[in-house]
């Protein structure tokens, strides 16, 4: 198609690190009620994410990585602290939203990718990608269709557009879920171990997709427990027992 | 191009076909039953009176001594009379030429068939206008005799000769003897045929229609008095008179009562089907929590989710309506036609009943949408983390609540129980244990399923109890007709003579000669209140066992004394034993004492008992009788029939004028007919509830299996064979069935009382004694076990056919 990539605006998110943080995580605490005492999965975590960063969140199993990501995407409530996000010149404290406001805001500002893909099994790949556009109402049906094709092309799956998720491989499904995360053209992509259930070659391919996105200027937060990936991020945070144990940025300073 | 979210709804609808069918059928069953009942209700209440009145039923009917056209003209000229017709009614024994069985039929002779304006005859087959020496039969004849148009009827005259009449048509006469189950079937001939049958061409029935106010009781009564007086002034004696409204079928109130009961049951079925819908939708939402989570993750608001699932439910509704509305319309007409056939009136033709249509649509939309709203609302509220995490169960976890793993009460009990058993060296097989634990796992669903099955069972059992209750009641009624054989003559014979002859026949135990009389109860203003048929057995009779509800039975020496059937309460609701009642008997107006009131089946007119000694005196038949009751040594039906033939032949050969010989059960048959209709409907409803119940179970088992796919995979991977897996599922289903039986059996007791009270108050005037039978309990036990085994068979086969690969691919 002649209009290739016109809808993915490469220069919208300049990769220069301005002083204004995109995401501000401030003293976030998350405790879970258990049969005995409350369990603190996050113990006061504070950090900033700047536009254009490819941030790796690294930690052992049970360290609190997923919990942290859930605080940033707002899919779970925090116990105390604050997460504010500044996109499109609008700074919002996401935990002050009600659920519907948050869902709409997230649909437009954050693409979320999970380890287990989370595609709707009854929809084709194309429809899965169109779904966020349909729900957030930013695009007309024909526009969203065109854009979904474009995104599928980007993840090299346009030939499979009409297939159901169960008929493609895990790596392919994960690429579809990345494409879906990009549907509403959000400035922020958050991925929780997106390569966790893939073999190393496929994982590498999927990771490559994220690097491409980074190069297009998107801000990406990715959780992994694979330390060897550290060099490929622009910055890494290490989480340990619900606390921020290491931040490569402060180190550099 | 469909938007993705609607595409998802569409896929949910068509991808899981068995689930869609289950939901659709649960909705459809409720919509269907309510549609059938409301439709039949409307059709019957409308057509029964409309078709009845369209046949120009007589408003006044007199049974009289012989008269001719001059009386008819006199009555036609009475002010307020629309038309009057004279007819002749006589009863003769008839059979199809070439067959053996005699049947007593009422022959009606009409002068001019081309000019009938009262009690019209609708053609079923052939013609409704017989020529001389031809016969047209009423369709009721076909119940006892398979006559066809073109065959010949043989009539036996009083002198024993046989005359032939070819049958040229079959008609329906919805007016003459409407609601009188005891009347003999009719055959129509011309008046000119009467001499051929050795009868005078004179009338003995006068039918009159009124010109105005023909639905006003007071006016009808006044006109009846006028017409009767006119008739008597002309020198014609009146034996019996009645009046009837034009727009009200005599059976209307009974039928309305039956339909009312059906309506109540229909609402119950609807209720059950809605619990089924709630159950299924709840499970559906449970399975869909993950998808809801995903949609919310990518930007869906709660309203969007709500909308999608409400549209899904709406689609289920529309499909269900598409199936149930046309079927319900057909069913309604079928039910109406069945009732119409039983009561003997014609429907006005197939049509769509707007009210039923509206009720079906409202019910078919409102019930599922309401039943689904709560689960959908809960589902749409779920937070994304909860939805995406693994063990979300809508009904068991309240949002943000800790799940503390503890053994449930049932688990504790079962654990203790199994330990106890194993101490005694009794080992319950593993699969059985798993089954029982599964049964109690999903409490909400279990409760709804149990509720449905329990109600179904309770109604099923109750219907059987009510059936026995009614039959027992009829048996009680039969005590009034306890004779094995009833022998009626065309003329009175000396009781002593007949007694000696009958007692000489081997196998006869006893005989009584009874007297009969017709009387009219009259109000203070001389108007007719009620026709009374008086049976007069000897005062020491052993052949009547009355079921008294007030006062005493007749004793020797009673004069001007009556025991009346409870029907009398309709006209004299405050009547007490010992009260006097004004009656007109044999042309004289007298005051008689009511000594007692007894139970009886409802019918036109009131039954009463007097003493033979007194009644035969005033009818001038001392020591003579038309009618004899005979007791046999052996009471079984076969013997009754055989002895009936023996006695018939004996008296025919001896030259007596036998009118008819009836055996015990044939008398009862007519009385039980109206109750049979009722019981048939109740059984249909019971079966419908059973179907709804088992559908509920199938659904539940299907859902249980679906949710346990992973577990089944694990069982399989540790070596469980198909049979073991199927067994656990089927045993689980049967366990639910068994529990529901127990609860249904308990619940059936109050429901039996309720149903029997409703039925007896509707059909009779007072409640009747409830009888319980084990039949219903046993049948339902078997039915529920078989149904639950069948209901779980399909899900069980599904479970067994899951391969490990499929199980792991699930999600
Ligand atoms: N809903 C919950 N209730 C109680 N405890 C929880 C809950 N969710 C997480 N936890 C606990 O919080 C801690 C952090 O969990 P989290 O899922 O964030 O770890 P993670 O770093 O993502 O681990 P992994 O690499 O295995 O995904 C763990 O100890 C976990 O058991
Ligand atoms: Mg995690």
């Amino acid at each position: 198609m002649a209009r290739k990539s016109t809808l993915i605006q490469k220069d919208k998110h300049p990769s220069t690190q301005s002083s204004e943080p995109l995401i501000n995580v401030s003293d976030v605490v998350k405790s879970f009620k258990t049969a005995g005492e409350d369990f603190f999965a996050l113990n006061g975590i504070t950090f900033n994410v700047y536009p254009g960063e490819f941030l790796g969140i690294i930690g052992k199993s049970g360290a609190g990585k997923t919990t942290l990501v859930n605080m940033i995407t707002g899919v779970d409530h925090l116990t105390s602290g604050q997460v504010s996000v500044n996109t499109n010149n609008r700074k919002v404290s996401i935990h002050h939203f009600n659920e519907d406001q948050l869902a709409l805001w997230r649909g437009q500002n954050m693409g979320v990718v999970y380890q287990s893909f989370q595609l709707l099994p009854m929809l084709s790949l194309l429809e899965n990608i169109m779904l966020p556009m349909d729900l957030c109402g930013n695009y007309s049906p024909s526009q969203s269709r065109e854009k979904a094709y474009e995104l599928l092309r980007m993840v090299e799956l346009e030939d499979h557009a009409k297939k159901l998720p169960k008929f493609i491989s895990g790596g392919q499904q994960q690429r579809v879920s990345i494409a879906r995360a990009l549907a509403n053209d959000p400035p922020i992509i958050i991925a929780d171990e997106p390569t966790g259930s893939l073999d190393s070659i496929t994982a590498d391919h999927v990771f490559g997709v994220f690097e491409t996105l980074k190069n297009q200027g998107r801000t990406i937060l990715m959780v992994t427990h694979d330390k060897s990936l550290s060099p490929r991020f622009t910055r890494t945070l290490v989480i340990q027992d619900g606390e921020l144990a290491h931040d490569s940025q402060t180190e550099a300073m | 191009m469909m938007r993705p979210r609607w595409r998802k709804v569409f896929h949910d609808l068509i991808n899981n076909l068995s689930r869609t069918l289950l939901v659709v059928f649960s909705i459809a069953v409720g919509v269907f039953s309510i549609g059938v009942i409301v439709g039949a209700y409307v059709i019957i209440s409308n057509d029964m009176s409309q078709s009845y009145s369209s046949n120009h039923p007589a408003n006044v009917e007199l049974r009289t001594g012989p008269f001719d056209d001059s009386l008819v003209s006199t009555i036609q000229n009475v002010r307020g009379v629309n038309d009057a017709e004279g007819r002749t009614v006589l009863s003769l024994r008839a059979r199809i030429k070439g067959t053996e069985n005699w049947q007593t039929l009422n022959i009606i002779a009409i002068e001019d068939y081309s000019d009938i304006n009262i009690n019209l005859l609708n053609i079923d087959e052939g013609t409704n206008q017989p020529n001389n020496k031809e016969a047209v039969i009423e369709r009721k004849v076909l119940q006892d005799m398979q006559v066809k148009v073109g065959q010949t009827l043989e009539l036996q005259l009083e002198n024993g000769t046989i005359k032939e009449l070819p049958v040229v048509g079959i008609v329906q006469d919805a007016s003459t003897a409407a609601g009188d189950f005891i009347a003999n079937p009719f055959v129509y001939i011309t008046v000119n045929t009467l001499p051929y049958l050795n009868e005078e061409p004179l009338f003995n029935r006068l039918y009159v229609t009124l010109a105005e106010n023909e639905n006003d009781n007071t006016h009808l009564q006044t006109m009846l008095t006028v017409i009767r007086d006119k008739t008597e002034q002309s020198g014609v004696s009146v034996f019996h008179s009645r009046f009837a409204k034009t727009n009200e079928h005599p059976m209307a109130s009974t039928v309305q009562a039956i339909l009312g009961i059906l309506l109540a049951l229909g609402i119950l079925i609807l209720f059950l089907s809605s619990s089924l819908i709630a159950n299924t939708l709840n499970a559906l939402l449970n399975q869909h929590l993950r998808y809801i989570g995903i949609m919310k993750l990518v930007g869906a608001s709660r309203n969007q989710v709500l909308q999608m699932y409400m549209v899904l439910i709406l689609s289920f509704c529309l499909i269900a309506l598409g199936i149930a509305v046309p079927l319900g319309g057909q069913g309604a007409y079928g039910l109406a036609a069945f009732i119409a056939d039983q009561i003997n009136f014609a429907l006005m033709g197939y049509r769509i009943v707007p009210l039923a249509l509206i009720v079906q649509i409202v019910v078919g939309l409102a019930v599922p949408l309401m039943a689904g709203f709560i689960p959908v609302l809960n589902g749409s509220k779920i937070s994304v983390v909860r939805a995406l995490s693994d063990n979300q169960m809508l009904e068991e976890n309240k949002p943000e609540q800790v799940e503390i793993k503890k053994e449930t009460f049932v688990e504790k009990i079962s654990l203790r129980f199994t330990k106890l058993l194993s101490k005694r060296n009794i080992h319950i097989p593993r699969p059985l244990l798993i089954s029982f634990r599964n049964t109690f796992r999903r409490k909400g669903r279990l409760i709804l399923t149990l509720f449905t099955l329990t109600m179904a069972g309770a109604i099923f059992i109750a219907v059987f109890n009510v059936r026995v209750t009614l039959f027992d009641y009829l048996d009680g009624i039969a005590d009034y007709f306890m004779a094995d054989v009833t022998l009626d003559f065309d003329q009175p014979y000396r009781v002593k003579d007949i007694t000696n002859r009958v007692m000489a026949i081997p196998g006869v135990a006893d005989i009584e000669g009874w007297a009969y009389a017709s009387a009219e109860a009259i109000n203070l203003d001389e108007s007719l209140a009620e026709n009374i048929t008086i049976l007069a057995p000897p005062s020491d009779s052993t052949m009547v066992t009355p079921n008294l509800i007030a006062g005493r039975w007749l004793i020797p020496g009673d004069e001007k004394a009556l025991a009346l059937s409870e029907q009398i309460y309709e006209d004299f609701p405050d009547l007490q034993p010992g009260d006097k009642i004004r009656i007109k008997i044999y042309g004289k107006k007298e005051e008689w004492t009511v000594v007692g009131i007894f139970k009886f089946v409802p019918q036109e007119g009131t039954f009463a008992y007097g003493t033979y000694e007194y009644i035969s005196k005033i009818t001038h038949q001392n020591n003579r009788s038309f009618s004899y009751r005979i007791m046999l040594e052996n009471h079984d039906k076969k013997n009754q029939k055989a002895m009936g033939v023996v006695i018939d032949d004996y008296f025919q050969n001896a030259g007596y004028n036998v009118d008819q010989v009836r055996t015990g059960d044939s008398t009862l048959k007519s009385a039980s007919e109206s109750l049979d209709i009722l019981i048939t409907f109740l059984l249909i409803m019971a079966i419908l509830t059973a179907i709804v119940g088992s559908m509920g179970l199938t659904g539940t088992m299907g859902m249980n299996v679906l949710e346990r796919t992973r577990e089944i995979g694990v069982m399989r991977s540790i070596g469980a064979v198909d049979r073991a897996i199927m067994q656990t599922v089927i045993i689980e289903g049967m366990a639910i069935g068994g529990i529901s039986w127990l609860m249904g059996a308990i619940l059936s007791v109050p429901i039996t009382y309720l149903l029997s009270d409703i039925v007896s108050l509707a059909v009779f005037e007072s409640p009747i004694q409830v009888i319980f039978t084990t039949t219903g309990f046993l049948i339902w036990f078997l039915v529920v076990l078989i149904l639950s085994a069948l209901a779980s068979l399909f899900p069980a086969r599904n479970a067994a056919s899951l391969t490990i690969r499929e199980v792991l691919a699930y999600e």
Side-chain angles (χ1 to χ4, degrees), chain A residues 118-153:
Chain A
Q118 307 289 16
L119 298 174
L120 287 181
M122 68 291 279
L123 295 186
S124 70
L125 307 186
L126 190 70
E127 288 161 348
N128 261 292
I129 298 171
M130 287 168 68
L131 187 63
M133 297 184 260
D134 178 24
L135 292 170
C136 294
N138 284 352
Y139 299 91
S140 74
S142 63
Q143 264 181 321
S144 66
R145 193 181 165 77
E146 201 173 312
K147 175 146 187 197
Y149 262 117
E150 208 169 310
L151 289 166
L152 270 178
R153 203 152 33 239

Side-chain angles (χ1 to χ4, degrees), chain B residues 631-642:
Chain B
M631 283 289 235
L632 302 176
E633 280 161 3
N634 172 356
H635 304 293
D636 77 50
K637 282 182 189 163
K638 243 191 187 154
N639 186 50
Q640 287 180 340
K641 263 218 162 87

Side-chain angles (χ1 to χ4, degrees), chain A residues 65-66 192-193 223:
Chain A
K65 306 181 295 291
T66 297
D192 188 357
E193 300 199 39
V223 167

Side-chain angles (χ1 to χ4, degrees), chain B residues 705-720 725 799-810:
Chain B
V705 167
L706 247 178
E707 277 164 18
R708 256 180 258 145
T709 313
R710 189 177 277 282
E711 183 181 310
I712 289 164
V714 173
M715 276 176 68
R716 200 166 256 293
S717 66
I718 58 172
I725 291 172
S801 68
L802 288 169
T803 62
I804 297 176
R805 195 187 58 75
E806 274 175 315
V807 168
L808 297 181
Y810 177 74

